Every structure is written in structure tokens, then in C-alpha cells.
């Protein structure tokens, strides 16, 4: 099939190609001597990305398509039927010693005729003929590669940075709460030991002590089911209880009332205690019960804090998809919730998050970790647009064979002249240093190329909707 011919191009013909038009006769002679004409049928691979870059190709006739693999998809970068268009070992001269690999693939769209030069011929010629240009190009390419690496790295770091900053903040609150509660708990437990010793100091008979222990059990239950009260109701209940304590000559009622109230204990409850113990023993008994209630509440707090920590770690795991298969069946709501959890520290007090989920949606096969990137980028943009005050709506639904996710914000909207450019790489309206302009470009690639879905935007002042459609049947 490959038809490398012995056919050469005459210097005069070579001069009609813009690449060679200004070469003098000697140089043209060199190109003439080393180059050959090659003909390939439609659909043939001319060169394949990743293979050793051995040849440099110039298009003489026909149409070629240049593609690159992005996340496993073949993306067409350009298509050309321009005579003189070139490709292949375009950077071979940079590295005399080492054969570079092709950075792209080139395919014949129609039958094509090409002019082919071996990479080492180009390399030798360039170094001999244009030594200074070589040095400049070396520097240029080095700079470009460094920049590209930096951008890639920075992007990953940014995602990781904002994720871990948010997460650290979120984890810190419950962790600090648990530490604080544990310290108080330790103190209260030791207080309880002392009080018990006082009560049991021979002044209570076995039966009364037994009744008291029953009260303690009841207090524990009471604390677990304490009614939720408004601040006003709470302070009323505390006042009433403080009065009761005063009437019964218990000192420090202001100190005990809030604790007992939080545990759901009121005057009627304490009346029963007063009936059981003598007036002398009443205060130690009530203090002892207060310790019981307080330790119970503290343990509840610790439990809550640990649950929040476990929940966050779960969300982080779900978000990062660290221990999951890259391609799996997932419920988009789990992914959206995990992503929103990652943002919770970044969402201001005056920004409301509304979830309008259609829970009847089927789980769909997706690249879950990458979809989380998409939600992250869209939610990040929405929150930026909303600023201090507004509403972020995350809506899901189904349309025919597709799951639809909408991220809606109440920000200022996207001006018409900006809208046509937002999916371009590096396009950003954010101040220098704040945005990379890659968020939407990456999202588009993930949704459209990787999931064969669709990413569209609709915007007017006060309402911007980014709409992601994903096929239910997967790839
Ligand atoms: N919800 C939105 N409301 C208004 N403008 C938006 C919204 N989403 C995107 N844009 C516009 O699209 C541009 C490109 O968005 P993209 O996410 O690609 O990059 P960026 O947000 O500027 O940078 P980065 O994502 O790296 O932080 C933004 O700079 C902004 O002008
Ligand atoms: Mg963005």
C-alpha cells in the first residue's frame, strides 16, 4: 500500500513550496537529493502519534487530517489541503542524538501525494545552514515546554490546593470541637467520681442510692431526647429552673440550670429527686445528675464531630475517586454532593445552595473522577460570578436518553461578546493570576469528547445556566 517512489522533486518544483522557496541552489540540491515523493490512499495513516519521528512530510496534493489523543480520544486539531503544509518530525533538529516521537498523528483524508525527508537530513541541514536560528529555536521550545509543564502542574495544584484548603478548614472545626469536648469530659468525669463518693458517704441507704442510680439512667435518656428549643424558649426554661433551684436552697443555680435544661430536665423532674433524698443530700445529688447530663451531652458532641469528620472524609474519597475504577456506574447526585461538600468552606454565609434533584434518575456509566472536575469547574465559576450574595442551584433531570445536570447562578451573566470565547483554552476575564481560563475548556473535553455528552450555556443578567447532558447508555 505504501508507495514510496523513487521519484524526486526537481529544484524548480521544490522552490514552489513555501518552505524551500528561499533556499539557494546548493541547499535545494541537497533537499532534492534526499527527498522522495510518496503516495498514499485515502484513510491511510501517514504517521502515528508516539512512534519514533523518522520523517518530515510536506503535502503536495490531497487532504490530510492532524489528530492528537486527548484522554483516550482522537481529537482533530486541523485539516489541510494546502500545498506545502508540513508535519511529522518537525522538531527532529532539536535533538541530534535522540529520535523524538511524533507528537500528533496524520491521516490521509483523500488520496494524497507527499514529499518526504528523513528526519536526520532535516536535522543535519538545519544545524549546518542555520546555526544561530537553531540556538534561538532551542531556547524557544525549551521555554514553551517549561511553560506547558508549569501550566499543567499549576492546574493540578490549584485543584488540589483549593480542595485541601477547603477540606482542612472543614475538618478543623469538628476536630477542634471533639478535642475541646474531650477535655471538658475528662474534667466532669473526675468531678462525678468525687460527688459519688460524697453521696455514698454512708448517708444514703442502699435503696435510696439505688433510686438515685435510676434517676441517673433516666437523666441519660432524657438528655438524648432533649427537646429542641428556640433560644427564647431555652432562656425561659433556664429561668424557671433557676427559680426552682433557688427555692430549694441550691447554690449556683445559674451554673446548673443551663446544663440541666439542655438535658431536658425541668422542675417537675427534680421534684422527684427532692422526694427521694434528704435536703442535705439534695445539692450533691443534683450536681451529680448535672454531671451525668453534661457528660452525656459532651459525648453527643464528640459523636457528632466524629460523624462530621467521617462524612467529610467519605465525601473527599467520593470526590477524589481514589480507590475507584475510573469508568464506573455512578449516581450523579453522589458526585454532585461530594463536590458541593468540598466547596462548603468556600460558600459564603449569604450564598444559598439549592438542590433540585430528580432522585428517579438512573445511575449512569461515567468517568466519575473527571466528572467531579467538571462540577468543580462549573460550581467554581458560578460561585465566582455570584460573589457575596446570591443563589447557586444544582438541578438534575432526565431528557429522553440523557441525564441533565444544570448549574445555575444568579451572577451578572456572560456578555454576548465573551460568550463565544469562554470554551477557548486560556480565555479568562479574571484578573491576571486568578484564572487560568482552562476550567471550561477542560470541562468541555471531559463532557463532550470523553462522555459523548453535551455542555451548553445560556446566560442573561441574573441567570446563567451551564447545562451538562450525559448519555444514559454511556460511551
Ligand atoms: N457562571 C459564569 N458567569 C459569568 N461568567 C462566566 C461563568 N462561567 C464562566 N464565565 C466566563 O468564562 C470565562 C472562562 O471560564 P473558565 O472556567 O474557562 O476560566 P476561568 O474561570 O476564568 O479560570 P479558572 O477556571 O482557571 O479559574 C471566565 O473568565 C468568565 O468570564
Ligand atoms: Mg473557571
Amino acid at each position: 500500500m505504501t508507495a514510496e517512489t523513487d521519484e524526486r522533486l526537481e529544484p524548480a518544483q521544490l522552490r514552489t513550496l513555501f518552505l524551500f522557496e528561499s533556499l539557494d541552489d546548493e541547499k535545494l540540491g541537497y533537499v532534492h537529493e534526499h527527498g522522495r515523493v510518496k503516495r498514499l490512499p485515502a484513510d491511510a495513516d501517514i504517521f502515528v502519534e508516539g512512534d519514533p519521528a523518522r520523517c518530515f512530510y510536506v503535502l503536495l496534493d490531497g487532504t490530510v487530517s492532524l489528530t492528537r489523543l486527548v484522554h483516550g480520544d482522537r481529537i482533530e486539531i486541523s485539516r489541510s489541503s494546502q500545498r506545502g503544509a508540513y508535519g511529522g518530525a518537525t522538531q527532529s533538529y532539536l535533538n541530534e542524538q535522540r529520535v523524538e516521537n511524533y507528537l500528533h498523528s496524520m491521516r490521509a483524508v483523500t488520496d494524497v501525494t507527499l514529499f518526504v525527508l528523513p528526519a536526520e537530513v532535516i536535522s543535519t541541514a538545519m544545524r549546518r545552514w542555520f546555526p544561530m536560528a537553531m540556538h534561538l529555536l532551542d531556547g524557544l521550545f525549551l521555554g514553551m515546554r517549561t511553560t506547558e509543564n508549569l501550566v499543567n502542574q499549576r492546574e493540578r495544584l490549584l485543584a488540589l490546593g483549593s480542595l485541601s484548603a477547603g477540606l482542612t478548614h472543614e475538618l478543623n472545626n469538628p476536630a477542634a470541637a471533639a478535642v475541646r469536648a474531650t477535655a471538658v469530659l475528662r474534667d466532669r468525669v473526675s468531678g462525678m467520681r468525687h460527688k459519688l463518693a460524697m453521696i455514698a458517704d454512708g448517708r444514703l441507704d442502699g435503696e435510696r442510692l439505688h433510686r438515685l442510680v435510676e434517676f441517673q439512667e433516666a437523666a441519660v435518656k432524657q438528655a438524648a431526647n432533649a427537646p429542641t428549643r428556640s433560644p427564647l424558649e431555652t432562656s425561659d426554661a433556664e429561668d424557671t429552673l433557676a427559680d426552682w433551684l433557688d427555692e430549694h436552697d441550691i447554690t449556683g443555680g445559674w451554673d446548673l440550670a443551663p446544663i440541666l435544661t439542655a438535658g431536658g430536665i425541668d422542675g417537675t423532674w427534680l421534684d422527684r429527686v427532692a422526694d427521694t433524698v434528704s435536703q442535705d443530700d439534695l445539692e450533691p445529688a443534683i450536681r451529680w445528675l448535672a454531671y451525668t447530663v453534661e457528660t452525656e451531652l459532651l459525648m453527643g458532641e464528640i459523636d457528632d464531630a466524629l460523624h462530621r469528620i467521617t462524612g467529610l472524609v467519605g465525601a473527599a474519597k467520593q470526590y477524589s475517586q481514589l480507590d475507584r475504577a475510573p469508568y464506573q456506574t455512578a449516581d450523579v447526585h453522589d458526585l454532585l454532593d461530594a463536590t458541593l461538600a468540598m466547596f462548603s468552606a468556600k460558600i459564603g454565609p449569604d450564598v444559598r445552595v439549592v438542590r433540585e434533584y430528580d432522585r428517579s434518575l438512573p445511575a449512569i456509566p461515567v468517568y466519575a473522577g473527571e466528572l467531579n472536575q467538571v462540577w468543580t469547574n462549573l460550581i467554581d465559576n458560578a460561585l465566582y460570578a455570584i460573589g457575596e450574595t446570591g443563589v447557586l442551584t444544582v438541578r438534575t433531570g432526565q431528557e429522553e436518553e440523557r441525564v441533565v445536570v444544570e448549574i445555575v447562578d444568579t451572577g451578572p451573566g456572560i456578555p454576548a461578546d465573551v460568550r463565544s470565547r469562554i470554551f477557548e483554552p486560556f480565555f479568562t476575564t479574571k484578573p491576571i493570576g486568578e484564572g487560568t481560563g482552562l476550567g471550561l475548556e477542560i470541562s468541555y473535553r471531559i463532557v463532550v469528547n470523553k462522555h459523548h455528552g453535551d455542555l451548553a450555556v445560556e446566560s442573561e443578567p441574573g441567570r446563567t445556566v451551564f447545562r451538562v447532558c450525559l448519555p444514559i447508555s454511556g460511551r
Side-chain angles (χ1 to χ4, degrees):
M1 167 198 91
T2 75
E4 190 134 357
T5 61
D6 270 340
E7 192 181 333
R8 300 184 188 200
L9 283 189
E10 290 310 313
Q13 288 172 295
L14 283 172
R15 196 157 269 147
T16 64
L17 297 166
F18 66 85
L19 268 180
F20 307 122
E21 67 189 358
S22 55
L23 294 186
D24 62 28
D25 289 348
E26 187 209 329
K27 292 175 179 137
L28 269 185
Y30 182 82
V31 175
H32 158 78
E33 190 185 323
H34 290 95
R36 294 290 183 276
V37 171
K38 182 171 182 169
R39 291 176 217 284
L40 287 171
D43 273 340
D45 283 328
I46 299 166
F47 55 84
V48 176
E49 180 176 346
D51 285 355
R54 299 198 193 285
C55 293
F56 179 84
Y57 297 85
V58 183
L59 182 64
L60 297 176
D61 189 42
T63 305
V64 294
S65 148
L66 204 61
T67 60
R68 190 159 180 191
L69 279 177
V70 180
H71 294 303
D73 282 319
R74 227 180 212 225
I75 309 299
E76 180 167 291
I77 296 168
S78 64
R79 190 172 265 242
S80 180
S81 39
Q82 192 194 355
R83 187 179 143 82
Y86 58 89
T90 46
Q91 292 178 28
S92 58
Y93 50 83
L94 288 178
N95 241 316
E96 259 182 312
Q97 326 300 341
R98 195 156 49 86
V99 184
E100 295 277 318
N101 293 331
Y102 289 118
L103 299 174
H104 306 98
S105 297
M106 192 186 266
R107 196 174 53 84
V109 177
T110 62
D111 291 355
V112 294
T113 312
L114 301 150
F115 178 64
V116 190
L117 278 168
E120 61 273 15
V121 170
I122 289 267
S123 169
T124 314
M126 294 283 276
R127 288 190 179 270
R128 219 173 60 217
W129 299 343
F130 314 111
M132 179 168 160
M134 279 308 89
H135 290 302
L136 294 177
L137 278 173
D138 260 353
L140 187 66
F141 274 111
L142 189 69
M144 262 169 55
R145 276 185 202 181
T146 317
T147 317
E148 197 178 327
N149 284 342
L150 273 178
V151 167
N152 285 342
Q153 240 171 41
R154 184 173 153 71
E155 207 213 323
R156 257 173 273 143
L157 282 178
L158 277 179
L160 212 65
S162 66
L163 173 86
S164 58
L167 197 64
T168 313
H169 181 93
E170 282 300 288
L171 284 172
N172 210 25
N173 292 338
V179 169
R180 211 169 39 236
T182 312
V184 183
L185 187 62
R186 188 184 299 277
D187 185 58
R188 297 303 183 266
V189 168
S190 98
M192 215 158 121
R193 276 200 303 268
H194 291 129
K195 279 283 173 296
L196 185 62
M198 275 173 67
I199 292 170
D201 219 6
R203 281 182 288 169
L204 284 180
D205 61 36
E207 199 210 330
R208 286 186 168 180
L209 189 58
H210 198 74
R211 292 279 313 271
L212 214 45
V213 172
E214 273 171 17
F215 276 125
Q216 189 188 28
E217 287 305 315
V220 167
K221 287 211 183 76
Q222 189 82 11
N225 303 312
T228 34
R229 293 189 171 107
S230 72
L232 197 68
E233 287 166 343
T234 305
S235 86
D236 280 351
E238 285 174 7
D239 285 349
T240 316
L241 196 63
D243 288 345
W244 188 99
L245 294 168
D246 246 8
E247 284 160 20
H248 290 78
D249 289 332
I250 311 264
T251 50
W254 51 271
D255 171 24
L256 289 171
I259 297 167
L260 293 169
T261 304
I265 288 176
D266 56 14
T268 324
W269 210 95
L270 289 184
D271 281 340
R272 284 185 282 142
V273 182
D275 290 344
T276 308
V277 297
S278 67
Q279 175 60 35
D280 274 356
D281 290 333
L282 186 57
E283 182 170 343
I286 287 180
R287 288 205 173 268
W288 181 62
L289 284 173
Y291 278 134
T292 303
V293 169
E294 205 181 3
T295 50
E296 205 50 37
L297 294 175
L298 287 167
M299 285 193 281
E301 251 176 62
I302 295 174
D303 205 40
D304 277 355
L306 293 181
H307 267 96
R308 262 160 70 202
I309 292 176
T310 313
L312 278 167
V313 171
K317 233 168 106 179
Q318 166 78 263
Y319 179 85
S320 66
Q321 296 285 313
L322 274 181
D323 53 355
R324 308 279 182 102
Y327 194 68
Q328 52 165 308
T329 303
D331 181 342
V332 288
H333 301 115
D334 292 342
L335 305 180
L336 289 167
D337 283 342
T339 308
L340 282 169
M342 294 301 110
F343 272 104
S344 51
K346 249 184 135 179
I347 298 176
D350 296 324
V351 174
R352 200 152 57 87
V353 179
V354 176
R355 294 171 216 229
E356 291 176 12
Y357 289 173
D358 174 356
R359 291 285 182 185
S360 68
L361 289 183
I364 55 171
V366 292
Y367 293 92
E370 286 173 58
L371 268 192
N372 282 340
Q373 282 267 337
V374 174
W375 316 139
T376 305
N377 289 329
L378 298 182
I379 292 171
D380 188 49
N381 286 348
L383 290 174
Y384 187 91
I386 289 171
E388 300 266 301
T389 315
V391 184
L392 168 73
T393 307
V394 181
R395 187 181 297 134
T396 64
Q398 183 173 349
E399 261 172 31
E400 288 162 11
E401 287 306 291
R402 302 178 342 151
V403 160
V404 181
V405 176
E406 290 183 341
I407 310 288
V408 189
D409 70 71
T410 52
I414 311 174
D417 56 327
V418 169
R419 200 167 321 162
S420 59
R421 304 197 53 200
I422 56 174
F423 293 104
E424 286 174 18
F426 303 111
F427 176 80
T428 178
T429 55
K430 293 180 180 167
I432 291 174
E434 274 194 35
T436 62
L438 287 171
L440 287 176
E441 195 261 349
I442 291 168
S443 304
Y444 190 89
R445 274 205 319 240
I446 294 173
V447 172
V448 177
N449 300 337
K450 198 124 194 205
H451 289 90
H452 308 293
D454 198 16
L455 173 57
V457 61
E458 218 179 88
S459 182
E460 59 187 77
R463 185 172 183 274
T464 299
V465 185
F466 277 87
R467 203 177 144 83
V468 177
C469 297
L470 299 165
I472 289 176
S473 58
R475 50 187 167 182

